[in-house]
Amino acid sequence: METFSAADVAAVYSSTVRPTARKLVADSWASSLALADRYNPREVHVNRVTGGFNSAVQVAASYCLRSYAERIDADSVSIIARRRGAVLTTALEQLRDELTDPFWATFVPEPTKAYGIGYSPRPVSMSFAEPGSVTILFRADLALLVESRKLNPPGGPVPQFPGGFNPLGPVSATLSANLPAGNPAPVALPVAEAAGDPTPVATHPQFLPGAFAGSLVNTVLNPVELEVPLQVQRVLGTVEVTLKARLRWTAHKPQKSVDILLDLRQAEVTVNPGAGDARALYEELLAPLEPLLASHLAPHADIPLTPTISLIGRNTGFIGVPELPQFEVRVFPVQRGSRQALCAAFDVVPGCQGIIEDVEHFIGASDYGVIHDEYVVERVIRHKWNQGGFDRSVGVARKVSLRVKRDGRDRDEDAWVYGRLLLDSLDEVALQPHADLRGDLLLLSGQARGVADRVVLTTDGTVLTPENADLGPPEAATWAVNLAASLTLPWEPDAELRDFRQRAHTDGLRHLARPFARFPFTYLMPDVEYVRTEAVLKRMFFLGQLPGVFA
């Protein structure tokens, strides 16, 4: 295992992005979008865009953002400062000279109601604008929240609960709040209530996903349920949060794979609440909670930005790959128009060295893409063969002419020979053009043994088997099958050949098209949407979507 530090990433990054950035500076935003929209995978020059690397895997920045957001459970992150109306009134009095919205002139907080100022940041973009770093932008509406029901006023009667239960002493409740459109996830707030006067507890605020009807828990007696919802009374402005963290990767040379990680241990989180009323209220009520926000957006850990990229495809057992003795990987960003992606580029042929600056963004709007040269294709197929993949026995039937002795006389008769072709070796894997089919194919061939199981004479239907006749020893033969890369399992009338090709698609081509060490065989499995074989250029090109986040 080889780990690359942030400095290594920065060195690779600066040699890649800076020349590209200079070329992009003159492009306007509109022309950049138009460039992205004109993307056509059939126009991708599979040799030029890989920069001379034997294999290149690209994962879109949009997927990297989804991977980060799901792992920190971004939908549950909310920051709310909750205050009783009387306390909020005091805060507003202190800010009176700074608030400009006429709304505040008529807004009078009810002393016994609970109010909140809060926001729920949602990640909207990820970019790689600086050497070796990742920038994530969050955006949210800053809202004024108010309880839709009154709590008991100080000194008021103790609330009555189902079954005649009367809580005694301090109790705690959980509030739920629906933030504005675009931030629909409810959030949960714990409050402690003593003598009907709720105040934030030490753990305020909490981050919990999903709809939440809180619980009222007595310190002595059994808990009962209480829902205290908060409703949006007014949207005050927009809050932007920026997170900057380091990019690093860990290469696993024996397994020919790489993990691309977001290093959050020294991440920087900055909040921009905008100007005017939003900034004044934020600085007064929410600024002290920024360390808590940072702890949730940037836990002290590494977060995978992509699935484990594997040159041989699925490898759940983390087994070694001796078929590829040479292995070097470099990770860097690429960009086309407004679209960015992370690229893992592999050198696996001794003496070959790709050029990072020549690698181009080739996946368009897809979540991922991969281009392999013929050497990588051959090595991956051979590895899967050596691991027990592919059918090793193929049924065959052939019409032949046999010399048969009947009534003391030799005569030639037609017969059908039914047997098996036992595949002993895989000697050749090559990309070849096929003139008759007007397409490029993957050729597999090797040595085999032909074994006759029975012979059926067509004259009278006589069946000869090893039990009643000498059908001879196995006969040495050569086998060869052409495979066409396709989005679905291949089909053809010959059942035996169809079974072999479908197994070859599953055991070989699927791993080339899905370059990830672990992916689920469910609706979350990578969905291949484009395939192309270029026999003259000796490359195979795949594009796909990633329906879900997986490691």
Side-chain angles (χ1 to χ4, degrees), residues 437-473:
L437 297 178
R438 297 183 179 181
D440 295 336
L441 303 174
L442 176 63
L443 170 68
L444 308 180
S445 65
Q447 300 302 309
R449 289 167 294 138
V451 178
D453 293 328
R454 69 183 190 280
V455 177
V456 180
L457 303 179
T458 58
T459 304
D460 56 6
T462 300
V463 178
L464 305 178
T465 65
E467 284 73 27
N468 59 19
D470 183 7
L471 302 184

PDB file of all heavy atoms in Angstrom, residues 437-473:
ATOM      1  N   LEU A 437     -18.933  -8.179 -40.002  1.00  0.00           N
ATOM      2  CA  LEU A 437     -19.889  -7.624 -39.051  1.00  0.00           C
ATOM      3  C   LEU A 437     -19.828  -6.097 -38.979  1.00  0.00           C
ATOM      4  O   LEU A 437     -20.633  -5.480 -38.281  1.00  0.00           O
ATOM      5  CB  LEU A 437     -19.635  -8.213 -37.663  1.00  0.00           C
ATOM      6  CG  LEU A 437     -19.837  -9.719 -37.528  1.00  0.00           C
ATOM      7  CD1 LEU A 437     -19.507 -10.160 -36.107  1.00  0.00           C
ATOM      8  CD2 LEU A 437     -21.264 -10.118 -37.890  1.00  0.00           C
ATOM      9  N   ARG A 438     -18.857  -5.513 -39.679  1.00  0.00           N
ATOM     10  CA  ARG A 438     -18.683  -4.057 -39.672  1.00  0.00           C
ATOM     11  C   ARG A 438     -18.581  -3.501 -38.244  1.00  0.00           C
ATOM     12  O   ARG A 438     -19.248  -2.542 -37.874  1.00  0.00           O
ATOM     13  CB  ARG A 438     -19.831  -3.371 -40.418  1.00  0.00           C
ATOM     14  CG  ARG A 438     -19.904  -3.733 -41.883  1.00  0.00           C
ATOM     15  CD  ARG A 438     -21.004  -2.975 -42.587  1.00  0.00           C
ATOM     16  NE  ARG A 438     -21.059  -3.307 -44.002  1.00  0.00           N
ATOM     17  CZ  ARG A 438     -21.918  -2.773 -44.881  1.00  0.00           C
ATOM     18  NH1 ARG A 438     -22.807  -1.878 -44.446  1.00  0.00           N
ATOM     19  NH2 ARG A 438     -21.895  -3.127 -46.130  1.00  0.00           N
ATOM     20  N   GLY A 439     -17.756  -4.162 -37.498  1.00  0.00           N
ATOM     21  CA  GLY A 439     -17.549  -3.730 -36.125  1.00  0.00           C
ATOM     22  C   GLY A 439     -16.242  -4.266 -35.586  1.00  0.00           C
ATOM     23  O   GLY A 439     -15.556  -5.071 -36.234  1.00  0.00           O
ATOM     24  N   ASP A 440     -15.861  -3.799 -34.418  1.00  0.00           N
ATOM     25  CA  ASP A 440     -14.632  -4.237 -33.758  1.00  0.00           C
ATOM     26  C   ASP A 440     -14.988  -5.164 -32.611  1.00  0.00           C
ATOM     27  O   ASP A 440     -15.931  -4.899 -31.856  1.00  0.00           O
ATOM     28  CB  ASP A 440     -13.852  -3.033 -33.243  1.00  0.00           C
ATOM     29  CG  ASP A 440     -13.368  -2.145 -34.380  1.00  0.00           C
ATOM     30  OD1 ASP A 440     -13.240  -2.661 -35.504  1.00  0.00           O
ATOM     31  OD2 ASP A 440     -13.135  -0.951 -34.140  1.00  0.00           O
ATOM     32  N   LEU A 441     -14.222  -6.241 -32.485  1.00  0.00           N
ATOM     33  CA  LEU A 441     -14.564  -7.305 -31.550  1.00  0.00           C
ATOM     34  C   LEU A 441     -13.380  -7.631 -30.656  1.00  0.00           C
ATOM     35  O   LEU A 441     -12.228  -7.304 -30.950  1.00  0.00           O
ATOM     36  CB  LEU A 441     -15.000  -8.562 -32.300  1.00  0.00           C
ATOM     37  CG  LEU A 441     -16.172  -8.424 -33.274  1.00  0.00           C
ATOM     38  CD1 LEU A 441     -16.370  -9.711 -34.044  1.00  0.00           C
ATOM     39  CD2 LEU A 441     -17.437  -8.041 -32.538  1.00  0.00           C
ATOM     40  N   LEU A 442     -13.686  -8.321 -29.577  1.00  0.00           N
ATOM     41  CA  LEU A 442     -12.675  -8.870 -28.680  1.00  0.00           C
ATOM     42  C   LEU A 442     -12.527 -10.357 -28.988  1.00  0.00           C
ATOM     43  O   LEU A 442     -13.493 -11.125 -28.856  1.00  0.00           O
ATOM     44  CB  LEU A 442     -13.086  -8.669 -27.227  1.00  0.00           C
ATOM     45  CG  LEU A 442     -12.180  -9.272 -26.154  1.00  0.00           C
ATOM     46  CD1 LEU A 442     -10.798  -8.646 -26.183  1.00  0.00           C
ATOM     47  CD2 LEU A 442     -12.807  -9.120 -24.766  1.00  0.00           C
ATOM     48  N   LEU A 443     -11.341 -10.759 -29.419  1.00  0.00           N
ATOM     49  CA  LEU A 443     -11.080 -12.157 -29.775  1.00  0.00           C
ATOM     50  C   LEU A 443     -10.447 -12.878 -28.606  1.00  0.00           C
ATOM     51  O   LEU A 443      -9.463 -12.425 -28.031  1.00  0.00           O
ATOM     52  CB  LEU A 443     -10.152 -12.228 -30.985  1.00  0.00           C
ATOM     53  CG  LEU A 443      -9.600 -13.626 -31.321  1.00  0.00           C
ATOM     54  CD1 LEU A 443     -10.724 -14.551 -31.803  1.00  0.00           C
ATOM     55  CD2 LEU A 443      -8.481 -13.541 -32.349  1.00  0.00           C
ATOM     56  N   LEU A 444     -11.020 -14.040 -28.258  1.00  0.00           N
ATOM     57  CA  LEU A 444     -10.446 -14.944 -27.273  1.00  0.00           C
ATOM     58  C   LEU A 444     -10.137 -16.259 -27.960  1.00  0.00           C
ATOM     59  O   LEU A 444     -10.978 -16.789 -28.695  1.00  0.00           O
ATOM     60  CB  LEU A 444     -11.422 -15.189 -26.112  1.00  0.00           C
ATOM     61  CG  LEU A 444     -12.020 -13.977 -25.394  1.00  0.00           C
ATOM     62  CD1 LEU A 444     -12.948 -14.440 -24.287  1.00  0.00           C
ATOM     63  CD2 LEU A 444     -10.933 -13.084 -24.846  1.00  0.00           C
ATOM     64  N   SER A 445      -8.959 -16.815 -27.717  1.00  0.00           N
ATOM     65  CA  SER A 445      -8.624 -18.102 -28.339  1.00  0.00           C
ATOM     66  C   SER A 445      -7.617 -18.839 -27.459  1.00  0.00           C
ATOM     67  O   SER A 445      -6.941 -18.243 -26.610  1.00  0.00           O
ATOM     68  CB  SER A 445      -8.060 -17.918 -29.748  1.00  0.00           C
ATOM     69  OG  SER A 445      -6.824 -17.243 -29.703  1.00  0.00           O
ATOM     70  N   GLY A 446      -7.521 -20.142 -27.682  1.00  0.00           N
ATOM     71  CA  GLY A 446      -6.601 -20.960 -26.915  1.00  0.00           C
ATOM     72  C   GLY A 446      -6.654 -22.407 -27.362  1.00  0.00           C
ATOM     73  O   GLY A 446      -7.227 -22.739 -28.420  1.00  0.00           O
ATOM     74  N   GLN A 447      -6.087 -23.291 -26.551  1.00  0.00           N
ATOM     75  CA  GLN A 447      -6.040 -24.717 -26.845  1.00  0.00           C
ATOM     76  C   GLN A 447      -7.166 -25.443 -26.117  1.00  0.00           C
ATOM     77  O   GLN A 447      -7.592 -25.038 -25.036  1.00  0.00           O
ATOM     78  CB  GLN A 447      -4.696 -25.309 -26.430  1.00  0.00           C
ATOM     79  CG  GLN A 447      -3.505 -24.684 -27.139  1.00  0.00           C
ATOM     80  CD  GLN A 447      -3.608 -24.816 -28.646  1.00  0.00           C
ATOM     81  OE1 GLN A 447      -3.836 -25.919 -29.171  1.00  0.00           O
ATOM     82  NE2 GLN A 447      -3.460 -23.700 -29.354  1.00  0.00           N
ATOM     83  N   ALA A 448      -7.640 -26.534 -26.749  1.00  0.00           N
ATOM     84  CA  ALA A 448      -8.759 -27.295 -26.184  1.00  0.00           C
ATOM     85  C   ALA A 448      -8.620 -28.758 -26.570  1.00  0.00           C
ATOM     86  O   ALA A 448      -7.771 -29.138 -27.391  1.00  0.00           O
ATOM     87  CB  ALA A 448     -10.086 -26.719 -26.672  1.00  0.00           C
ATOM     88  N   ARG A 449      -9.471 -29.577 -25.956  1.00  0.00           N
ATOM     89  CA  ARG A 449      -9.582 -30.998 -26.306  1.00  0.00           C
ATOM     90  C   ARG A 449     -11.025 -31.292 -26.684  1.00  0.00           C
ATOM     91  O   ARG A 449     -11.955 -30.934 -25.946  1.00  0.00           O
ATOM     92  CB  ARG A 449      -9.171 -31.891 -25.147  1.00  0.00           C
ATOM     93  CG  ARG A 449      -7.685 -31.905 -24.837  1.00  0.00           C
ATOM     94  CD  ARG A 449      -7.397 -32.559 -23.499  1.00  0.00           C
ATOM     95  NE  ARG A 449      -7.941 -31.768 -22.385  1.00  0.00           N
ATOM     96  CZ  ARG A 449      -8.559 -32.300 -21.338  1.00  0.00           C
ATOM     97  NH1 ARG A 449      -8.754 -33.616 -21.267  1.00  0.00           N
ATOM     98  NH2 ARG A 449      -8.997 -31.531 -20.377  1.00  0.00           N
ATOM     99  N   GLY A 450     -11.191 -31.948 -27.835  1.00  0.00           N
ATOM    100  CA  GLY A 450     -12.516 -32.340 -28.268  1.00  0.00           C
ATOM    101  C   GLY A 450     -12.835 -33.757 -27.811  1.00  0.00           C
ATOM    102  O   GLY A 450     -12.072 -34.684 -28.073  1.00  0.00           O
ATOM    103  N   VAL A 451     -13.936 -33.936 -27.093  1.00  0.00           N
ATOM    104  CA  VAL A 451     -14.336 -35.242 -26.557  1.00  0.00           C
ATOM    105  C   VAL A 451     -15.700 -35.594 -27.135  1.00  0.00           C
ATOM    106  O   VAL A 451     -16.662 -34.820 -27.000  1.00  0.00           O
ATOM    107  CB  VAL A 451     -14.402 -35.218 -25.023  1.00  0.00           C
ATOM    108  CG1 VAL A 451     -14.878 -36.567 -24.484  1.00  0.00           C
ATOM    109  CG2 VAL A 451     -13.043 -34.850 -24.433  1.00  0.00           C
ATOM    110  N   ALA A 452     -15.789 -36.748 -27.794  1.00  0.00           N
ATOM    111  CA  ALA A 452     -17.063 -37.214 -28.363  1.00  0.00           C
ATOM    112  C   ALA A 452     -17.852 -37.959 -27.289  1.00  0.00           C
ATOM    113  O   ALA A 452     -17.339 -38.880 -26.654  1.00  0.00           O
ATOM    114  CB  ALA A 452     -16.821 -38.114 -29.558  1.00  0.00           C
ATOM    115  N   ASP A 453     -19.102 -37.555 -27.088  1.00  0.00           N
ATOM    116  CA  ASP A 453     -19.962 -38.222 -26.109  1.00  0.00           C
ATOM    117  C   ASP A 453     -20.870 -39.258 -26.751  1.00  0.00           C
ATOM    118  O   ASP A 453     -21.158 -40.294 -26.151  1.00  0.00           O
ATOM    119  CB  ASP A 453     -20.823 -37.181 -25.388  1.00  0.00           C
ATOM    120  CG  ASP A 453     -19.986 -36.267 -24.517  1.00  0.00           C
ATOM    121  OD1 ASP A 453     -18.953 -36.737 -23.992  1.00  0.00           O
ATOM    122  OD2 ASP A 453     -20.345 -35.083 -24.370  1.00  0.00           O
ATOM    123  N   ARG A 454     -21.326 -39.001 -27.984  1.00  0.00           N
ATOM    124  CA  ARG A 454     -22.166 -39.969 -28.673  1.00  0.00           C
ATOM    125  C   ARG A 454     -22.190 -39.635 -30.164  1.00  0.00           C
ATOM    126  O   ARG A 454     -21.940 -38.497 -30.565  1.00  0.00           O
ATOM    127  CB  ARG A 454     -23.583 -39.996 -28.118  1.00  0.00           C
ATOM    128  CG  ARG A 454     -24.403 -38.771 -28.406  1.00  0.00           C
ATOM    129  CD  ARG A 454     -25.775 -38.873 -27.728  1.00  0.00           C
ATOM    130  NE  ARG A 454     -26.692 -37.837 -28.161  1.00  0.00           N
ATOM    131  CZ  ARG A 454     -26.719 -36.595 -27.730  1.00  0.00           C
ATOM    132  NH1 ARG A 454     -25.840 -36.228 -26.800  1.00  0.00           N
ATOM    133  NH2 ARG A 454     -27.593 -35.722 -28.208  1.00  0.00           N
ATOM    134  N   VAL A 455     -22.492 -40.664 -30.952  1.00  0.00           N
ATOM    135  CA  VAL A 455     -22.615 -40.521 -32.407  1.00  0.00           C
ATOM    136  C   VAL A 455     -23.965 -41.098 -32.803  1.00  0.00           C
ATOM    137  O   VAL A 455     -24.317 -42.217 -32.409  1.00  0.00           O
ATOM    138  CB  VAL A 455     -21.478 -41.258 -33.143  1.00  0.00           C
ATOM    139  CG1 VAL A 455     -21.671 -41.169 -34.656  1.00  0.00           C
ATOM    140  CG2 VAL A 455     -20.122 -40.702 -32.737  1.00  0.00           C
ATOM    141  N   VAL A 456     -24.721 -40.338 -33.586  1.00  0.00           N
ATOM    142  CA  VAL A 456     -26.046 -40.773 -34.023  1.00  0.00           C
ATOM    143  C   VAL A 456     -26.025 -40.920 -35.539  1.00  0.00           C
ATOM    144  O   VAL A 456     -25.800 -39.946 -36.277  1.00  0.00           O
ATOM    145  CB  VAL A 456     -27.147 -39.778 -33.604  1.00  0.00           C
ATOM    146  CG1 VAL A 456     -28.511 -40.273 -34.072  1.00  0.00           C
ATOM    147  CG2 VAL A 456     -27.141 -39.588 -32.089  1.00  0.00           C
ATOM    148  N   LEU A 457     -26.223 -42.185 -36.038  1.00  0.00           N
ATOM    149  CA  LEU A 457     -26.275 -42.430 -37.482  1.00  0.00           C
ATOM    150  C   LEU A 457     -27.617 -41.967 -38.021  1.00  0.00           C
ATOM    151  O   LEU A 457     -28.674 -42.322 -37.490  1.00  0.00           O
ATOM    152  CB  LEU A 457     -26.067 -43.911 -37.775  1.00  0.00           C
ATOM    153  CG  LEU A 457     -24.753 -44.529 -37.241  1.00  0.00           C
ATOM    154  CD1 LEU A 457     -24.685 -46.015 -37.580  1.00  0.00           C
ATOM    155  CD2 LEU A 457     -23.549 -43.791 -37.803  1.00  0.00           C
ATOM    156  N   THR A 458     -27.584 -41.177 -39.077  1.00  0.00           N
ATOM    157  CA  THR A 458     -28.828 -40.614 -39.606  1.00  0.00           C
ATOM    158  C   THR A 458     -29.648 -41.648 -40.376  1.00  0.00           C
ATOM    159  O   THR A 458     -30.853 -41.475 -40.548  1.00  0.00           O
ATOM    160  CB  THR A 458     -28.517 -39.419 -40.527  1.00  0.00           C
ATOM    161  OG1 THR A 458     -27.659 -39.864 -41.593  1.00  0.00           O
ATOM    162  CG2 THR A 458     -27.828 -38.301 -39.758  1.00  0.00           C
ATOM    163  N   THR A 459     -29.007 -42.756 -40.848  1.00  0.00           N
ATOM    164  CA  THR A 459     -29.731 -43.745 -41.655  1.00  0.00           C
ATOM    165  C   THR A 459     -30.823 -44.419 -40.848  1.00  0.00           C
ATOM    166  O   THR A 459     -31.987 -44.494 -41.272  1.00  0.00           O
ATOM    167  CB  THR A 459     -28.769 -44.806 -42.212  1.00  0.00           C
ATOM    168  OG1 THR A 459     -27.730 -44.150 -42.948  1.00  0.00           O
ATOM    169  CG2 THR A 459     -29.508 -45.786 -43.109  1.00  0.00           C
ATOM    170  N   ASP A 460     -30.479 -44.900 -39.649  1.00  0.00           N
ATOM    171  CA  ASP A 460     -31.464 -45.631 -38.860  1.00  0.00           C
ATOM    172  C   ASP A 460     -31.541 -45.160 -37.406  1.00  0.00           C
ATOM    173  O   ASP A 460     -32.225 -45.776 -36.588  1.00  0.00           O
ATOM    174  CB  ASP A 460     -31.150 -47.132 -38.881  1.00  0.00           C
ATOM    175  CG  ASP A 460     -29.738 -47.433 -38.395  1.00  0.00           C
ATOM    176  OD1 ASP A 460     -29.054 -46.471 -37.943  1.00  0.00           O
ATOM    177  OD2 ASP A 460     -29.317 -48.593 -38.456  1.00  0.00           O
ATOM    178  N   GLY A 461     -30.806 -44.076 -37.071  1.00  0.00           N
ATOM    179  CA  GLY A 461     -30.876 -43.553 -35.709  1.00  0.00           C
ATOM    180  C   GLY A 461     -30.057 -44.313 -34.701  1.00  0.00           C
ATOM    181  O   GLY A 461     -30.229 -44.109 -33.492  1.00  0.00           O
ATOM    182  N   THR A 462     -29.177 -45.189 -35.135  1.00  0.00           N
ATOM    183  CA  THR A 462     -28.335 -45.928 -34.203  1.00  0.00           C
ATOM    184  C   THR A 462     -27.473 -44.959 -33.408  1.00  0.00           C
ATOM    185  O   THR A 462     -26.890 -44.027 -33.970  1.00  0.00           O
ATOM    186  CB  THR A 462     -27.433 -46.915 -34.967  1.00  0.00           C
ATOM    187  OG1 THR A 462     -28.260 -47.832 -35.692  1.00  0.00           O
ATOM    188  CG2 THR A 462     -26.523 -47.675 -34.004  1.00  0.00           C
ATOM    189  N   VAL A 463     -27.394 -45.173 -32.076  1.00  0.00           N
ATOM    190  CA  VAL A 463     -26.625 -44.313 -31.182  1.00  0.00           C
ATOM    191  C   VAL A 463     -25.404 -45.079 -30.695  1.00  0.00           C
ATOM    192  O   VAL A 463     -25.520 -46.173 -30.124  1.00  0.00           O
ATOM    193  CB  VAL A 463     -27.468 -43.838 -29.985  1.00  0.00           C
ATOM    194  CG1 VAL A 463     -26.622 -42.982 -29.047  1.00  0.00           C
ATOM    195  CG2 VAL A 463     -28.687 -43.065 -30.461  1.00  0.00           C
ATOM    196  N   LEU A 464     -24.237 -44.486 -30.936  1.00  0.00           N
ATOM    197  CA  LEU A 464     -22.992 -45.078 -30.468  1.00  0.00           C
ATOM    198  C   LEU A 464     -22.462 -44.231 -29.316  1.00  0.00           C
ATOM    199  O   LEU A 464     -22.391 -43.001 -29.415  1.00  0.00           O
ATOM    200  CB  LEU A 464     -21.960 -45.105 -31.600  1.00  0.00           C
ATOM    201  CG  LEU A 464     -22.397 -45.802 -32.906  1.00  0.00           C
ATOM    202  CD1 LEU A 464     -21.295 -45.697 -33.949  1.00  0.00           C
ATOM    203  CD2 LEU A 464     -22.743 -47.261 -32.624  1.00  0.00           C
ATOM    204  N   THR A 465     -22.104 -44.878 -28.226  1.00  0.00           N
ATOM    205  CA  THR A 465     -21.564 -44.191 -27.046  1.00  0.00           C
ATOM    206  C   THR A 465     -20.281 -44.895 -26.631  1.00  0.00           C
ATOM    207  O   THR A 465     -19.971 -45.999 -27.131  1.00  0.00           O
ATOM    208  CB  THR A 465     -22.566 -44.234 -25.886  1.00  0.00           C
ATOM    209  OG1 THR A 465     -22.735 -45.599 -25.465  1.00  0.00           O
ATOM    210  CG2 THR A 465     -23.920 -43.656 -26.305  1.00  0.00           C
ATOM    211  N   PRO A 466     -19.511 -44.312 -25.704  1.00  0.00           N
ATOM    212  CA  PRO A 466     -18.291 -45.003 -25.232  1.00  0.00           C
ATOM    213  C   PRO A 466     -18.574 -46.368 -24.639  1.00  0.00           C
ATOM    214  O   PRO A 466     -17.671 -47.213 -24.562  1.00  0.00           O
ATOM    215  CB  PRO A 466     -17.742 -44.040 -24.168  1.00  0.00           C
ATOM    216  CG  PRO A 466     -18.231 -42.703 -24.590  1.00  0.00           C
ATOM    217  CD  PRO A 466     -19.591 -42.945 -25.159  1.00  0.00           C
ATOM    218  N   GLU A 467     -19.837 -46.651 -24.259  1.00  0.00           N
ATOM    219  CA  GLU A 467     -20.170 -47.947 -23.677  1.00  0.00           C
ATOM    220  C   GLU A 467     -20.310 -49.029 -24.741  1.00  0.00           C
ATOM    221  O   GLU A 467     -20.064 -50.204 -24.469  1.00  0.00           O
ATOM    222  CB  GLU A 467     -21.471 -47.851 -22.877  1.00  0.00           C
ATOM    223  CG  GLU A 467     -21.355 -47.173 -21.525  1.00  0.00           C
ATOM    224  CD  GLU A 467     -21.172 -45.679 -21.669  1.00  0.00           C
ATOM    225  OE1 GLU A 467     -21.627 -45.126 -22.696  1.00  0.00           O
ATOM    226  OE2 GLU A 467     -20.578 -45.044 -20.777  1.00  0.00           O
ATOM    227  N   ASN A 468     -20.708 -48.682 -25.960  1.00  0.00           N
ATOM    228  CA  ASN A 468     -20.904 -49.729 -26.975  1.00  0.00           C
ATOM    229  C   ASN A 468     -20.028 -49.547 -28.204  1.00  0.00           C
ATOM    230  O   ASN A 468     -20.165 -50.272 -29.190  1.00  0.00           O
ATOM    231  CB  ASN A 468     -22.374 -49.798 -27.410  1.00  0.00           C
ATOM    232  CG  ASN A 468     -22.860 -48.476 -27.981  1.00  0.00           C
ATOM    233  OD1 ASN A 468     -22.069 -47.622 -28.379  1.00  0.00           O
ATOM    234  ND2 ASN A 468     -24.177 -48.306 -28.016  1.00  0.00           N
ATOM    235  N   ALA A 469     -19.112 -48.559 -28.183  1.00  0.00           N
ATOM    236  CA  ALA A 469     -18.227 -48.350 -29.327  1.00  0.00           C
ATOM    237  C   ALA A 469     -17.012 -47.553 -28.876  1.00  0.00           C
ATOM    238  O   ALA A 469     -17.038 -46.856 -27.853  1.00  0.00           O
ATOM    239  CB  ALA A 469     -18.966 -47.607 -30.440  1.00  0.00           C
ATOM    240  N   ASP A 470     -15.956 -47.682 -29.637  1.00  0.00           N
ATOM    241  CA  ASP A 470     -14.742 -46.926 -29.361  1.00  0.00           C
ATOM    242  C   ASP A 470     -14.817 -45.620 -30.132  1.00  0.00           C
ATOM    243  O   ASP A 470     -14.676 -45.599 -31.358  1.00  0.00           O
ATOM    244  CB  ASP A 470     -13.517 -47.748 -29.792  1.00  0.00           C
ATOM    245  CG  ASP A 470     -12.203 -47.029 -29.455  1.00  0.00           C
ATOM    246  OD1 ASP A 470     -12.281 -45.978 -28.779  1.00  0.00           O
ATOM    247  OD2 ASP A 470     -11.134 -47.518 -29.881  1.00  0.00           O
ATOM    248  N   LEU A 471     -15.073 -44.548 -29.405  1.00  0.00           N
ATOM    249  CA  LEU A 471     -15.187 -43.239 -30.055  1.00  0.00           C
ATOM    250  C   LEU A 471     -13.850 -42.518 -30.156  1.00  0.00           C
ATOM    251  O   LEU A 471     -13.796 -41.375 -30.616  1.00  0.00           O
ATOM    252  CB  LEU A 471     -16.187 -42.361 -29.300  1.00  0.00           C
ATOM    253  CG  LEU A 471     -17.613 -42.936 -29.180  1.00  0.00           C
ATOM    254  CD1 LEU A 471     -18.518 -41.923 -28.493  1.00  0.00           C
ATOM    255  CD2 LEU A 471     -18.161 -43.306 -30.559  1.00  0.00           C
ATOM    256  N   GLY A 472     -12.782 -43.167 -29.728  1.00  0.00           N
ATOM    257  CA  GLY A 472     -11.457 -42.597 -29.881  1.00  0.00           C
ATOM    258  C   GLY A 472     -11.076 -41.681 -28.732  1.00  0.00           C
ATOM    259  O   GLY A 472     -11.908 -41.273 -27.925  1.00  0.00           O
ATOM    260  N   PRO A 473      -9.796 -41.320 -28.630  1.00  0.00           N
ATOM    261  CA  PRO A 473      -9.303 -40.452 -27.548  1.00  0.00           C
ATOM    262  C   PRO A 473      -9.678 -38.995 -27.818  1.00  0.00           C
ATOM    263  O   PRO A 473     -10.087 -38.633 -28.921  1.00  0.00           O
ATOM    264  CB  PRO A 473      -7.791 -40.652 -27.609  1.00  0.00           C
ATOM    265  CG  PRO A 473      -7.529 -40.925 -29.065  1.00  0.00           C
ATOM    266  CD  PRO A 473      -8.705 -41.718 -29.558  1.00  0.00           C
TER     267      PRO A 473
END
